[in-house]
C-alpha cells in the first residue's frame, strides 16, 4: 500500500519535537558591530558524544516531486544541522521514533534561507534540495564509529507534490 504525505510549510512549532529551525524571523537577540549586525544567538541545540563538531559543505543533486521516500536515517551520537547557502527552499523529512523504528514521516518545505538542526537520534530523510545549487553548510559530529542507523521502508511512501 502506497502512503502519500503532503508537504507542509516549516514552522519552529511543528518542527520542535525533531529539532530547531534556523532563520532570521523577528528581531535579533542582540545588536552587535556598533548596531550594524543583528545576532540571532545560540539558536540550535548541538549535541555530540565522543567526538567534536565539524563543518562540512554539501553539494547535493536536486530531487523532483513527488519524492519516493525509501529510507530515513538517524545519528545516535550527534545532532546534524543543514544551513542552505542559497535562498532556495528544500525538503525536510522527519519521523517520530516508535520503539526503535520510525513512525509515519512528516514533510516540510523550508522558507527561503531557512535551515534546520536535527536533534541527536531524530529520524530524518537525507539532504533533499528541490532546485539548484543544492549547496549547504553542515554542522555535525566528527568522530569514530558510523554514527548512522538507517531504516528502509517496505511499503512505498510518496512525498508531495
Ligand atoms: N551522510 C551524511 O553525511 N548526510 C546524511 O546524514 C544526511 O542527513 O543527508
Ligand atoms: Ni543525516
Amino acid at each position: 500500500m502506497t502512503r502519500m504525505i503532503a508537504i507542509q510549510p516549516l514552522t519552529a512549532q511543528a518542527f520542535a519535537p525533531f529539532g530547531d529551525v534556523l532563520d532570521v524571523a523577528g528581531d535579533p537577540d542582540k545588536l552587535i558591530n556598533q548596531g550594524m549586525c543583528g545576532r540571532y544567538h545560540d539558536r540550535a541545540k548541538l549535541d555530540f558524544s565522543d567526538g567534536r563538531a565539524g563543518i562540512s559543505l554539501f553539494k547535493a543533486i536536486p530531487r523532483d516531486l513527488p519524492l519516493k521516500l525509501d529510507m530515513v536515517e538517524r545519528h545516535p551520537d550527534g545532532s546534524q544541522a543543514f544551513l542552505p547557502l542559497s535562498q532556495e527552499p528544500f525538503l525536510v523529512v522527519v519521523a517520530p521514533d516508535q520503539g526503535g523504528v520510525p513512525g509515519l514521516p512528516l514533510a516540510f518545505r523550508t522558507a527561503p534561507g531557512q535551515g534546520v538542526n536535527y536533534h541527536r537520534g531524530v529520524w530524518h530523510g537525507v539532504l533533499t534540495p528541490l532546485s539548484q545549487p543544492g549547496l549547504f553548510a553542515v554542522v555535525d559530529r566528527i568522530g569514530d564509529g558510523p554514527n548512522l542507523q538507517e531504516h528502509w521502508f517496505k511499503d512505498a511512501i510518496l512525498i508531495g507534490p
Side-chain angles (χ1 to χ4, degrees):
M1 176 204 47
T2 301
R3 289 176 293 183
M4 316 282 285
I5 294 177
I7 302 173
Q8 55 187 304
L10 181 64
T11 66
Q13 184 179 10
F15 196 68
F18 307 102
D20 313 293
V21 173
L22 296 159
D23 62 18
V24 290
D27 296 329
D29 299 301
K30 55 179 78 170
L31 283 178
I32 59 175
N33 301 351
Q34 294 82 38
M36 300 302 284
C37 175
R39 179 172 173 138
Y40 294 75
H41 181 68
D42 192 19
R43 291 298 183 92
K45 180 185 172 191
L46 302 188
D47 177 9
F48 308 106
S49 67
D50 305 324
R52 60 180 174 83
I55 297 179
S56 303
L57 296 175
F58 282 25
K59 181 157 177 39
I61 296 171
R63 309 294 301 276
D64 294 327
L65 295 177
L67 176 80
K68 182 175 179 296
L69 184 70
D70 298 314
M71 180 272 288
V72 289
E73 60 171 42
R74 62 181 176 177
H75 309 296
D77 297 326
S79 55
Q80 187 174 49
F82 291 92
L83 303 168
L85 300 180
S86 77
Q87 288 296 307
E88 297 302 317
F90 64 103
L91 185 69
V92 173
V93 176
V94 289
D97 183 56
Q98 293 177 348
V101 295
L104 187 65
L106 296 88
F108 300 95
R109 180 184 273 105
T110 64
Q114 267 182 339
V116 293
N117 176 55
Y118 298 117
H119 288 167
R120 176 173 171 175
V122 167
W123 292 109
H124 59 278
V126 298
L127 177 60
T128 308
L130 298 173
S131 54
Q132 290 292 356
L135 279 175
F136 293 78
V138 179
V139 182
D140 62 4
R141 175 186 176 266
I142 307 298
D144 297 333
N147 186 30
L148 176 64
Q149 181 184 357
E150 296 179 341
H151 176 89
W152 292 83
F153 293 108
K154 297 182 188 62
D155 297 327
I157 296 177
L158 287 183
I159 294 180

